Amino acid sequence: MTVDMTPNLTLVVVIGVLVAAGVYLMLERSLSRVLIGIILVGNGINLTFLVASGAAGGAPIVGMTDTDEMSDPLPQAMVLTAIVITLGMTAFLLALAYRSWQLHRHDEVQDDVEDRRIARIAAYDQAIYADMDTEDTVSDLDRDAAEARDETQSSDDDAEPVGAR
């Protein structure tokens, strides 16, 4: 008896779309979009495991099904484990997004202050890019880093500290 191991083309296309859309969303700066991207990638990988496990068979319980007709329990166990891991990641990212919303009224991930400091130091050593429109090319990166919004410092308009809400 030969088993047909050809995957369903529709499932392969769905897997590709889920993973591609998930990766695209994970590259966004909004935590809610990153969360949706992780969920989509997780579902795409779970479908990949199930498609790779082959044709459906009988329950993998000795005595209920012949050993030749049993399905492989390893991919099923891996998918269950992946579902639990995805659930944990979802809860963690939901908590991060909620806390970001409480503190800043948005869930976008901002540039790190340390990254901007390192970029400012690197700008003094050598120009990373040349601005052909202006003559002042050395301080462009320094000016850009200074103009970037810094969430760790409260503005003069805020009467209460950032963590007091």
Side-chain angles (χ1 to χ4, degrees), residues 24 52 55 64 117 124 133:
Y24 176 77
M64 270 185 81
R117 187 185 70 78
Y124 291 124
D133 296 333

Side-chain angles (χ1 to χ4, degrees), residues 12-145:
V12 172
V13 170
V14 167
I15 290 168
V17 168
L18 283 174
V19 171
V23 168
Y24 176 77
L25 287 174
M26 283 194 302
L27 295 175
E28 296 287 329
R29 293 182 83 82
S30 171
L31 284 177
S32 57
R33 290 183 182 178
V34 170
L35 172 67
I36 293 170
I38 285 179
I39 292 171
L40 288 177
V41 167
N43 288 334
I45 298 302
N46 290 344
L47 274 177
T48 304
F49 274 126
L50 292 178
V51 167
S53 68
I61 301 172
V62 177
M64 270 185 81
T65 311
D66 292 336
T67 56
D68 296 337
E69 297 174 1
M70 282 186 190
S71 63
D72 188 11
L74 182 62
Q76 296 172 14
M78 290 180 76
V79 166
L80 286 174
T81 305
I83 289 171
V84 171
I85 291 170
T86 304
L87 179 68
M89 287 291 297
T90 301
F92 178 68
L93 280 174
L94 274 174
L96 283 178
Y98 180 67
R99 185 65 177 155
S100 177
W101 178 259
Q102 280 183 327
L103 293 176
H104 309 292
R105 294 293 180 226
H106 63 81
D107 67 342
E108 288 197 10
V109 177
Q110 298 296 320
D111 287 337
D112 190 17
V113 177
E114 186 68 17
D115 287 342
R116 283 187 271 139
R117 187 185 70 78
I118 291 171
R120 190 177 307 139
I121 291 171
Y124 291 124
D125 292 340
Q126 185 178 13
I128 295 174
Y129 61 90
D131 190 1
M132 300 298 182
D133 296 333
T134 62
E135 296 175 16
D136 186 19
T137 59
V138 177
S139 65
D140 283 347
L141 186 60
D142 196 27
R143 197 175 331 126
D144 291 346

